[in-house]
Structure formats: C-alpha cells, structure tokens
Amino acid sequence: MPDLPLILLGPVLRRVEPRGVSVFVATSQASNIRVTLYDGQVDAAAPPPELANHETHTMRFGAAFHAVVVTISLEGAAALQPGHLYSYDVRVSPEGGSAKSLKDLDLLTDSTLTGYGTITPASEDVEVCALGYVENRLPSFVTCPMSLDELVLAHASCRKPHGEGSPALQYLDGYIDGLEGAPAGRPHMLFLTGDQIYADDVAAALLPGLTALGIQLLGGAEQVPSPRGGSPLTVHTTVLPPGFRQKVTASAGFTSDAASCHLIGFGEWLAMYCAAWNPALWPVLAVADSSDPSIDHVLKQELQDDASKSQRSGGPVPPVVLGQATPDAPADVITPLYSGTVPARNALNEARESFWPAKQRLDDFRREVPKVRRLLANVPTYMICDDHEVTDDWFMTGGIRAATVGKPFGKALLRNALAAYTICQAWGDDPQRWATDQDHKDMLARIADMFPDGWPGGLARSAASDAVDQLLGLAPGAQPAFDFSFTVDGSMHRVRVLDTRTRRQYDTPSACPGLLTEAALSQQLPQEDLPEGHVLILVSPAPVFGPPFMTEIGGAIFASIYDLMSMARSETDRSAAQDVTGITPGGKPAGMQYFDIEHWGAHPGAYERLLERLSHYPRVVVLAGDVHYGSAFAMDWTAPQATGHPRTGRIVHFTSSAARNGWPSFFRNLFALNGMATGLQHIGLPMTRLGWSNTLPPVVSDIQFGPGVHFGVELGPAVEPPLTRIRLQTAPVLLSNEMFRAAHDLAREPEWIWRAQPITDQRPPADRPLAARVPEPTTDLPNDSSAVHRYDEAATVHVKGLGTAAIARGLQFLNNAGLITFSTSGDGIHVSQALYSLRARPDPNEKGDAYIVHEARLEPDPVPVPSRIGPGA
C-alpha cells in the first residue's frame, strides 16, 4: 500500500458560534493540531495578527487513524461579529516531526491526480482545487447574520458514490466559487441530513480498495464474529470477497437485498469516509473477472477493455473481483454466486452487468470529491445520520432491531458503523457536549480502546466493544445512553436536529415505527417560546410531509404488489433465493418495510404528536432528505378556540434529495423530463385533516355502520365505507372530506385541524435558467388550415421541450442540493428554497443551476373550522 498522507480527513469546519469555532481533522499519525483564527480574507503568505487559536492532541482510533475536533473558545475575548467573514489555518505537528500548515501540506494550491483511464480521454487527470477558492488563500467562513433577510442555509442528503446522475454537492461549492470572495450570499450553515456515505450499497469496484485501506488505518486485519457461530471472520477480500457478502449480512438478521458489498469492519467504515471526503485517498478501482466462458460476448469484451485501460504504466495493478471465491472464504456464510442455481446465476449476471457502469460513475464521483472537501472546509457543517450510514433497514422495525442486536455479528456491524459515525460526524456537531458529558466522553474513549496500541489484529478488545454496545443500547430492549440529536442557535433562528433512528416507537414487531417516542420528542424538541420574529429550523432525516401520491397512494400500491408477488412464489423458488440472499421467507420484510415506508405519516400517533409540538412555534421551516426527490409544501395547523388553547402555526417543508443517487433513467425520464412531476405533487392536495385524540364521544353521530352497498344499490346517504368506519374508531381520529360518501354534522368540534398544499416555482419563464425553460416556437402558429404545414416546427419544439431539465416546477427528480433564503416584506417573512441541479445531457461546460425555486410565506394562516364533514362540507 502507498504511504498515507498526513491529513486523512479535513479540515472540516464544524460548529461555529459567536464564542466558538470548531474544526475536525483526522491524521495518519498521532499529532498536535493547532487551529488559528483570523479576521477577513487571508493570504497564507502574509497572514494578519491572530484573533485566537487553540492546540490539542489527536485521539488514536487505529494505528494510522487519529482524529480530533479542535475548538477555539472566545470566552473572555471579543465575540465573533455577525455576518462577518473569518479565515482559519490548521497546523499539524506529528510526533517526532515538524509542524506543517495547510500551505506546507500543499492544500492551498491547485493540483492534479492521475485519472483511472475509465473515461474519455483516458489520460484526463483529476483536478484538485485549493481549499481557499483562490490559490494560497486560507479557507474561510461567514458567521450567521443578525437579519433573517441575509441568512443563507444549505442542505442535502443521500450521496452514493456510484449513484445515478451528476453529483450535486459540487453545485454548492460552485455557487460559493461564483461569489468570488464576497461574503454576501455565502451559506452560513450546511446541513447534511443523512446518508453522507452508503455502507450497504457499495460498488464492487470500490470495496477492495476500502478493505485494504481499512486494514492500513487500523494496523491489522480486523475480525468479526461469524453469524453462523464458530471461528470469527477476518475482514479481508479473501474471506469476505466483494460481491459475496449478501448472505453473511442477511444471516445476521439484516434484510437489505443490495448488500453484496456491505461494509463490515470498522476500518472499512473509516475508509469509506476517507473516500467520500479526500481525493488523495481514492484507491485504484478493481476490475471484474472476464475469464468465465459463460459471460455474454459483448459484456466480456467490455470487462476486458476495462481491465486493459486500468493497467496504468507504472501504477498499481487493480484487484480482480467477481471471480470465484478463494478457499479461505467460508462457504456457509458467503453468497454462492457460482453454485449454478438460477438465483445465483442471475445475481452473478446482474453483478457483472452493473460493474462497468458503476465504475464509470465512481470515476465521476471521484472528480467531485475535491470540491466537496473544499465546501466542507468553508461552510460550518452539521450532520445527522440516517439508514445508509449503517444499513438500509437499520432499526426499521422492532422485529428487525431485535433480530440484529440479538446476534454478535449484527451487534459488531452496528457498533462499527456507529463508532465511525461518532468520530467523523457526530463529534463535531456539538463538541462541548462530547467534551463534558460523561456518557459522550466514555463513548469516544471506549471506541479508542477497541483497537489500541499494540493490537495485533483480530477481534476488537471485548471490554471496550462491550462498553460501546452498552452506551449505544445494542441489546434487545435496551436503550442507548444518549441520542445524536443536537441544537444550534443563530441570531434570529434556532435549529433542532432530530435523531429519528435510535429512539423509535415500536407498537408491534412488524408495524411501521413512530420515528420518536413521546419521551424522545420532549427531549429533542421541547416545548418552548422563541423570541418574537425568530424561526424554528427543524432538521429531520425523514420528511415530515411529502406528496400524497407517493406517501399515501403510491407506497401502498407498490407494497401490496410486492407482497402479492412474494406470496405467489413457489417453495422451490423461495428456497433457491434464500440460498443466495440468506434471507429466510419469514425474515424477508413485508412490502411496507421493503419500500422503506417509515416516513412520519406512516405512524399517525407519532406524526400528529410531532405536528402538535411544532404548532407551538408560529413559524417553522423543516429541512429533510432521504426520499430522492426535492420538494416543497406549506402546512397550517390550527387549534380552535373551543380547545381553550387557540393557536396557529405554519410549517414550510423543504426536501433536498438526493445529492448523488438519482432515480433510474425510466423514472427520471417519466417524471423529470416529461413534465409529470408538478402534477404528481398536486395530486391529493390541498389536503385538510381534522383531528381528535380520542374516539369517544363519537365525532360524527349519524354514521350508519351497515354493509354500505348491496347488489350495487346504495343503502342510504349515512352509510360509509369500511375504511372510514375504521378511522372513526381508531385513535387518533383523522378525517377528511374525501373519506366520506355523504356530508355529516360533526358531533364535536375538532381538537385540531391542519391544511397542507404544494409549493411550486412561480418564476416567469424568462427568470428561470436557460436549461429549465420550455422552448417556444419562433413565431406564432397561424390560426387557420395552413397551421398543419408548420407541424414539423411544433413537433421539433415539443421534442426539445421534453429534453429540458425542469419543465416541472414542483418535484425535482434530478440530483439536487438546496439553498434556503429569507426575505421580509409588508406581508411578513418569506422563505425560499433554490434546488440546484444539472440535467442528464448538459451542454459542454454547463454548470448546475437553480432549476426550481420554491417560495412561501412563513406567517400563520388559521384554518377555518368546519361544522360538517364530507362532500360539499
């Protein structure tokens, strides 16, 4: 393996407050890290006097992975000015070596890295940009301003290296670059709302390099307990080869069927973060085996061409994957891709066919990494994890949670994922809490003890790993010692970031979960009064609201189809598939879980509880991700006068997703290019819900609970369908006009009522980016029979229209990243989201732009309280 650079990760600018600035750095050697703060834009060759500095020592988490969050405290000194630009430098002093600044480490100059040879032209290098946007300039940031009108927030989620579409975080970096050093317009906070890495769905071409880098970072080959018992498994490609890991994870209770290259070892997780944020640590990508005579001729030629291009002169030889497993691989836990059964052959063919396109997308992703490193160095960045940082079904249901934490292998996988997340993400969100709270301090210390100095390889030290398990609550029925939620304040806003994974409400083992228990909601989002004019920013990995077509209609349809197809499979097919996947028929998730039906609204009790809590804040902006489309909605929540606590709150909900995991081309063409997205966003909206906490006394008194329809004859206007009658007898009672066949008087006034509606881009065509405009004929068509002779022109314009990026003004199915801004006018505070995207077939040198802009008022708008419900009410 080549020598590691001194800086493995960072600098990543983390929490910034008026009296504190925190920076995360990971190094390959034990080092002292000194962070120095300066006023204004700074040339590294002639820095001004220091404002403040702080130096501390790294913690050892592996032989070649040391990390620290350095916090400059300004207590006792002048606080940072609001809306002001500051710069910082990082000086690394490795033990036994000389101190090196960012300039000394060549991080302030533009450079290049050798390309892989998988693109055209093959010799194209990877451009690595200086951290300061201008060569020799230090990285900088702008503090939150005093006025909401100047506040800029950014958010994004779901960044899979080999995902579809153009990577979108680089658009935020390009936006800052385009400001040319001006502080106005710079994002003051960046929220990464989940899936910063993908641990379950890893490309076969990338995993061998991650495994090798992980071994180098830890200083030895790690072992994990076998899910089948017996000897531990060594986390190495000879024992757990790329493409063969589906069965081993499923044997431990995990249900993802895209886990053939799942990360398993702690070192692999650390390596994945390195690949996500450091362009210098990208391994040579593997090539696929092409020696099997059964491979289709065209595919075989493609794989052979890839191998020849990857053999760079003088460079390392890329590993070969998807060949038959080595004798060291345990046959009872690896996927039998070469067993000859139909499911095994299908899985192998699918792996081979996806290998080359995934490798091309990896090359594209690698070229974004330098820009992402620069972005993270120049914007205060706050992170929360979601499922893919761990695994696709992480704590999805109570049954899955019990199954995975009940096995030593399952606990090891979860522990390794959350330990890496703690170091690389959670630590910097609230460094003060990790430095002072005993449970948080113990967590860092016990992670450091898992692979201590002198560790010879093998299993993690059991005393340390058991302690980490205890702190994380990795036992059936156990609760963690803390969650990963946090709060951060600005001058005119408060941010509450929710942890919706570790404090879930499980009513039954297989039911859709409530994303927060009642106690967790009170802890993470306490009822409080913000100062007048302040805005609550709520960050939730899972959307609080989405288009009803997808959350309530489409999800249920897809889940039902999946369940019916599963039931229709023969026992022979089930057994053969189980041999490949390791997922037993009883262990395979039902359709509601398979399609990740775990949004807030899937559990009405937890959902309405959240909305009620948010109603105590007049103005709320929700930032969310997860769902792989961008969207915007406005919701008004009203408690009527009769409740004794009348109030109205407004929630404006923005989703930005995915940063790099676009929908497959079929859906992208259908939704993004054919103009259906805005229509889908409007289906079922505006939506109004009337709510009661209890079913008794009845909310509608004249419902006839009869059979409804008999031989096609309606039995009367008071007869309602079964689902409506069920809803009337289920707490909380949530009703809408559309649920009824006839109008009814309400027996008692609703305890609350909310109304949701979509937000769409209202800009005139000329104000939208050129790539987002719908082409128009050059001249008006004649209004007579001669128009038919202009049909070819109209058809040409129509075809061009289908190729524009964003005919849609509502949902964005292209990869996207969002910028949030505020404005104040005579009718109150407004908030907007600009979704930056790049169309699938851009012109040469075309850059991402704000294809869609959503804007809405943040002022509460009381919902009228009806006295009747049903059609015409």
Side-chain angles (χ1 to χ4, degrees):
M1 289 289 294
D3 292 338
L4 294 171
L6 182 56
I7 288 189
L8 299 174
L9 290 173
V12 181
L13 183 63
R14 300 306 312 270
R15 193 178 182 100
V16 170
E17 298 176 292
R19 294 196 175 275
V21 177
S22 297
V23 177
F24 169 76
V25 178
T27 58
S28 59
Q29 302 174 47
S31 304
N32 279 341
I33 309 295
R34 178 187 176 97
V35 178
T36 304
L37 186 66
Y38 300 97
D39 184 31
Q41 205 75 262
V42 173
D43 187 317
E50 299 179 3
L51 288 180
N53 68 74
H54 186 68
E55 182 171 338
T56 190
H57 200 273
T58 56
M59 290 186 70
R60 181 194 188 281
F61 297 102
F65 193 95
H66 309 257
V68 69
V69 176
V70 182
T71 299
I72 297 176
S73 175
L74 294 169
E75 297 297 336
L80 300 181
Q81 301 176 48
H84 192 74
L85 188 146
Y86 295 90
S87 299
Y88 69 94
D89 198 0
V90 175
R91 186 174 296 272
V92 182
S93 302
E95 292 181 354
S98 58
K100 295 181 181 297
S101 66
L102 294 178
K103 181 177 176 63
D104 298 330
L105 292 164
D106 295 326
L107 294 177
L108 301 183
T109 55
D110 296 332
S111 59
T112 59
L113 293 170
T114 305
Y116 287 133
T118 61
I119 63 168
T120 302
S123 61
E124 185 174 338
D125 290 333
V126 176
E127 296 179 359
V128 179
C129 46
L131 284 186
Y133 287 98
V134 173
E135 288 196 294
N136 292 317
R137 179 185 292 174
L138 292 177
S140 61
F141 61 92
V142 177
T143 55
C144 286
M146 287 297 297
S147 170
L148 273 177
D149 290 57
E150 299 172 3
L151 180 65
V152 181
L153 309 176
H155 69 130
S157 71
C158 305
R159 185 168 174 254
K160 184 168 78 171
H162 65 290
E164 296 270 0
S166 175
L169 275 186
Q170 62 185 325
Y171 310 150
L172 296 179
D173 174 77
Y175 168 82
I176 297 173
D177 194 17
L179 296 175
E180 298 182 342
R186 282 273 295 262
H188 304 101
M189 308 174 91
L190 168 62
F191 296 99
L192 300 180
T193 59
D195 301 342
Q196 278 69 264
I197 64 167
Y198 274 65
D200 50 335
D201 190 355
V202 180
L206 180 59
L207 182 61
L210 297 180
T211 303
L213 177 57
I215 292 171
Q216 191 175 10
L217 295 176
L218 292 187
E222 179 183 358
Q223 290 183 329
V224 293
S226 171
R228 301 283 188 182
S231 301
L233 302 176
T234 302
V235 183
H236 193 282
T237 54
T238 59
V239 177
L240 295 167
F244 290 79
R245 295 185 176 188
Q246 176 68 59
K247 190 174 179 180
V248 69
T249 57
S251 298
F254 300 104
T255 64
S256 171
D257 60 359
S260 63
C261 295
H262 205 303
L263 303 182
I264 292 175
F266 177 58
E268 290 182 329
W269 256 280
L270 295 179
M272 177 60 92
Y273 281 105
C274 289
W277 295 339
N278 188 345
L281 287 172
W282 265 72
V284 174
L285 297 179
V287 297
D289 175 57
S290 59
S291 62
D292 191 331
S294 66
I295 301 178
D296 173 82
H297 173 72
V298 175
L299 177 58
K300 182 175 183 177
Q301 187 61 52
E302 213 171 47
L303 297 178
Q304 289 175 341
D305 290 346
D306 174 40
S308 64
K309 289 178 182 178
S310 298
Q311 299 285 348
R312 297 200 311 271
S313 175
V317 177
V320 178
V321 301
L322 299 179
Q324 296 197 39
T326 66
D328 295 332
D332 60 333
V333 297
I334 67 165
T335 307
L337 293 180
Y338 288 82
S339 67
T341 66
V342 172
R345 287 199 303 270
N346 290 342
L348 181 59
N349 287 336
E350 183 178 345
R352 286 167 170 164
E353 290 171 359
S354 63
F355 184 91
W356 170 242
K359 188 172 180 181
Q360 290 178 300
R361 293 193 294 271
L362 285 171
D363 197 1
D364 188 31
F365 178 88
R366 183 197 182 201
R367 296 169 191 280
E368 186 203 40
V369 173
K371 299 175 183 178
V372 172
R373 181 174 65 175
R374 182 169 66 175
L375 173 70
L376 300 185
N378 287 273
V379 182
T381 303
Y382 304 87
M383 311 177 188
I384 191 68
C385 60
D386 203 14
D387 50 353
H388 290 291
E389 271 99 349
V390 180
T391 191
D392 183 53
D393 62 356
W394 174 33
F395 291 177
M396 184 187 296
T397 66
I400 291 174
R401 186 190 189 283
T404 53
V405 301
K407 294 185 173 73
F409 177 90
K411 281 203 293 187
L413 186 146
L414 295 169
R415 177 200 318 129
N416 289 336
L418 291 173
Y421 163 73
T422 293
I423 298 165
C424 299
Q425 296 196 59
W427 192 358
D429 288 325
D430 195 350
Q432 181 67 16
R433 182 164 60 166
W434 288 94
T436 57
D437 178 76
Q438 192 60 51
D439 288 330
H440 288 74
K441 291 168 61 178
D442 287 348
M443 178 71 170
L444 288 171
R446 299 294 79 77
I447 295 172
D449 290 342
M450 291 198 305
F451 305 96
D453 190 18
W455 173 74
L459 294 169
R461 293 289 169 86
S462 59
S465 61
D466 290 347
V468 172
D469 291 346
Q470 184 72 25
L471 289 164
L472 292 172
L474 297 182
Q479 288 295 320
F482 56 87
D483 61 42
F484 294 106
S485 66
F486 60 95
T487 302
V488 59
D489 284 326
S491 302
M492 294 294 293
H493 68 284
R494 168 164 292 174
V495 181
R496 293 278 189 182
V497 180
L498 303 181
D499 171 4
T500 58
R501 283 283 163 185
T502 69
R503 287 286 203 276
R504 293 188 159 194
Q505 176 178 332
Y506 302 115
D507 298 336
T508 68
S510 59
C512 294
L515 299 191
L516 287 178
T517 64
E518 186 171 2
L521 177 66
S522 295
Q523 187 272 321
Q524 297 188 24
L525 185 60
Q527 186 173 319
E528 59 190 344
D529 293 324
L530 295 184
E532 181 62 31
H534 277 56
V535 173
L536 174 69
I537 311 293
L538 184 77
V539 177
S540 170
V544 174
F545 195 82
F549 174 81
M550 305 185 76
T551 58
E552 298 189 5
I553 303 172
I557 292 173
F558 287 132
S560 299
I561 293 173
Y562 175 86
D563 289 338
L564 288 172
M565 293 178 64
S566 296
M567 289 187 290
R569 300 175 71 192
S570 69
E571 195 61 38
T572 301
D573 288 344
R574 291 170 187 261
S575 177
Q578 179 182 339
D579 185 51
V580 173
T581 65
I583 303 174
T584 63
K588 196 170 183 65
M592 293 293 282
Q593 282 76 49
Y594 183 79
F595 289 103
D596 289 350
I597 309 299
E598 51 179 338
H599 53 83
W600 277 99
H603 189 289
Y607 183 45
E608 296 300 324
R609 194 163 57 219
L610 171 71
L611 295 181
E612 192 279 333
R613 180 60 51 84
L614 291 177
S615 72
H616 292 271
Y617 302 85
R619 304 172 189 86
V620 178
V621 175
V622 176
L623 305 181
D626 182 58
V627 289
H628 300 193
Y629 57 79
S631 64
F633 299 89
M635 175 184 289
D636 293 292
W637 192 103
T638 293
Q641 293 282 345
T643 64
H645 301 281
R647 64 184 180 279
T648 292
R650 165 154 276 217
I651 303 168
V652 176
H653 190 290
F654 294 131
T655 300
S656 175
S657 179
R660 211 298 165 89
N661 197 9
W663 290 51
S665 57
F666 169 78
F667 291 101
R668 187 171 65 246
N669 292 337
L670 184 64
F671 295 147
L673 302 183
N674 293 344
M676 292 180 61
T678 301
L680 290 177
Q681 188 185 23
H682 279 81
I683 293 177
L685 293 172
M687 173 191 292
T688 301
R689 289 285 188 270
L690 282 64
W692 296 261
S693 56
N694 296 300
T695 61
L696 295 175
V699 300
V700 179
S701 58
D702 62 340
I703 294 294
Q704 176 182 338
F705 293 100
V709 177
H710 186 63
F711 293 109
V713 178
E714 191 77 42
L715 295 182
V719 177
E720 296 297 345
L723 287 178
T724 300
R725 300 200 299 271
I726 291 172
R727 288 300 317 143
L728 286 165
Q729 300 174 78
T730 304
V733 181
L734 299 170
L735 303 178
S736 66
N737 289 335
E738 295 76 18
M739 297 168 61
F740 293 85
R741 293 173 175 167
H744 305 272
D745 291 331
L746 295 177
R748 53 189 174 106
E749 189 177 67
E751 297 170 29
W752 70 87
I753 180 170
W754 56 260
R755 175 185 59 209
Q757 53 193 356
I759 304 172
T760 56
D761 192 338
Q762 299 298 312
R763 292 177 297 173
D767 291 345
R768 303 180 79 199
L770 186 62
R773 300 177 194 171
V774 180
E776 298 180 357
T778 53
T779 58
D780 292 336
L781 293 176
N783 189 22
D784 54 37
S785 60
S786 65
V788 71
H789 300 297
R790 303 280 296 281
Y791 176 79
D792 59 338
E793 180 183 342
T796 299
V797 170
H798 178 69
V799 170
K800 289 181 178 179
L802 293 179
T804 59
I807 297 174
R809 291 173 174 265
L811 302 182
Q812 178 56 284
F813 288 92
L814 299 171
N815 289 335
N816 58 84
L819 274 180
I820 310 298
T821 55
F822 299 82
S823 62
T824 304
S825 61
D827 61 348
I829 300 172
H830 290 240
V831 61
S832 67
Q833 169 178 252
L835 286 174
Y836 281 74
S837 302
L838 183 65
R839 54 182 173 169
R841 292 177 292 277
D843 292 333
N845 300 317
E846 186 176 338
K847 297 181 179 180
D849 210 334
Y851 289 166
I852 298 178
V853 174
H854 302 117
E855 182 178 347
R857 289 179 69 245
L858 264 177
E859 302 307 314
D861 184 13
V863 186
V865 181
S867 59
R868 290 169 60 79
I869 192 167

